[in-house]
């Protein structure tokens, strides 16, 4: 029986794409570099903010130029992460119903850990999450399951007691690598086909559909 729902963040709980695109494009423009349409960012995000910057700049993370751009992007995003970001329609109600059913909710994201708690407090002020975990230096990014296993162990949960909800192939792989079933969030950044191709165990058209799988 499911007693813990583990959610991806970007593209699953909240729509962050415009603020991520705007902050990244701002830094690129400041340095005279090519910027990208917001729609293209759906395919740049998902593997963490380092990989996002690597994709848009074409630079190696080991270079000084990359580190400068990445630092500026983090600073810009920290100031503008809630300009356009908001929860997906029906998500606050879904989280409330899950907690009323006695099912805990947690967040596991490739977004830098410094942003996760702030975004959750602003977007879901009435929801008490069991744990919030973003990208930390001690864990590889998803789909490596190390951070997922750490989260489950810290909450004393087995894979059989958990289900993972995410919007991309990275999320499906993360869940399966950790021994969990995955609910594919069709409303997110990547859509139904990618989730089906990745082997999502269930597909949800909207957040409230999550309730039928737990």
């Amino acid at each position: 029986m499911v007693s813990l729902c583990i959610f991806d963040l970007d593209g699953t709980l909240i729509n962050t794409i415009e603020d991520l695109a705007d902050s990244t494009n701002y830094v690129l423009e400041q340095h005279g570099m090519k910027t990208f349409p917001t729609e293209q960012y759906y395919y740049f995000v998902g593997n963490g903010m380092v990989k996002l910057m690597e994709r848009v700049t074409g630079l190696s993370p080991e270079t000084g130029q990359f580190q400068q751009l990445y630092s500026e992007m983090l600073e810009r995003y920290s100031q503008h992460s809630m300009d356009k970001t908001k929860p997906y329609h029906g998500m606050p109600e879904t989280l409330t119903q899950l907690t009323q059913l006695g099912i805990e909710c947690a967040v596991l994201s490739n977004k830098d850990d410094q942003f996760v708690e702030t975004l959750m407090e602003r977007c879901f002020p009435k929801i008490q999450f069991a744990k919030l975990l973003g990208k930390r230096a001690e864990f590889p990014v998803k789909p490596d399951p190390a951070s997922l296993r750490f989260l489950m162990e810290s909450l004393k949960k087995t894979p059989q007691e958990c289900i993972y909800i995410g919007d991309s192939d990275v999320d499906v792989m993360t869940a399966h690598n950790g021994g969990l079933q995955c609910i594919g969030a069709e409303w997110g950044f990547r859509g139904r086909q990618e989730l089906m191709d990745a082997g999502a165990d269930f597909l949800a058209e909207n957040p409230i559909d999550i309730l039928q799988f737990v």
Side-chain angles (χ1 to χ4, degrees):
M1 181 176 176
V2 173
S3 61
L4 176 67
C5 286
I6 304 171
F7 289 86
D8 173 51
L9 180 62
D10 301 83
T12 302
L13 287 170
I14 57 178
N15 189 348
T16 55
I17 201 70
E18 289 188 83
D19 286 333
L20 285 167
D22 289 351
S23 293
T24 306
N25 279 337
Y26 174 83
V27 172
L28 295 174
E29 187 173 23
Q30 292 298 109
H31 289 264
M33 302 176 75
K34 178 184 176 182
T35 60
F36 299 89
T38 298
E39 293 73 24
Q40 221 164 323
Y41 279 87
Y42 286 123
Y43 299 93
F44 291 154
V45 302
N47 300 90
M49 298 173 89
V50 170
K51 181 58 72 173
L52 163 62
M53 290 302 292
E54 189 177 349
R55 285 168 174 156
V56 299
T57 64
L59 298 170
S60 167
E62 283 72 40
T63 65
Q65 184 183 6
F66 178 93
Q67 291 300 322
Q68 177 65 33
L69 291 165
Y70 179 62
S71 175
E72 290 179 20
M73 188 272 183
L74 291 182
E75 181 178 359
R76 178 74 180 182
Y77 185 65
S78 69
Q79 297 168 357
H80 297 275
S81 63
M82 284 297 298
D83 288 359
K84 301 172 184 175
T85 289
K86 59 184 178 181
Y88 283 101
H89 179 72
M91 187 56 75
E93 294 81 3
T94 299
L95 294 172
T96 298
Q97 290 193 47
L98 287 170
T99 57
Q100 288 173 347
L101 290 169
I103 298 172
E104 293 183 290
C105 298
V107 177
L108 180 65
S109 176
N110 273 340
K111 183 185 288 292
D112 286 38
D113 196 53
Q114 62 178 301
F115 298 116
V116 175
E117 184 173 352
T118 300
L119 286 169
M120 291 300 92
E121 287 177 351
R122 292 180 180 178
C123 291
F124 304 104
K126 297 181 180 180
I127 302 298
Q128 182 66 47
F129 289 94
K131 193 169 188 64
L132 304 172
L133 183 61
K135 184 184 80 66
R136 296 182 183 176
E138 61 263 38
F139 301 117
V141 296
K142 300 182 299 180
D144 188 286
S147 58
L148 174 59
R149 289 172 178 155
F150 170 80
L151 187 153
M152 289 190 292
E153 289 169 4
S154 67
L155 295 175
K156 297 180 171 58
K157 300 290 185 180
T158 65
Q160 293 71 33
E161 295 174 293
C162 305
I163 197 163
Y164 192 97
I165 301 99
D167 70 300
S168 73
D169 57 353
V170 171
D171 297 307
V172 178
M173 289 186 285
T174 301
H176 291 171
N177 289 343
L180 277 66
Q181 290 188 309
C182 180
I183 301 173
E186 292 186 28
W187 61 85
F189 293 166
R190 299 292 181 82
R192 180 184 181 88
Q193 192 61 52
E194 178 170 311
L195 293 164
M196 289 177 62
D197 292 344
D201 302 280
F202 311 102
L203 292 170
E205 290 185 11
N206 52 68
I208 205 71
D209 285 349
I210 292 168
L211 297 169
Q212 66 183 289
F213 302 120
V214 299

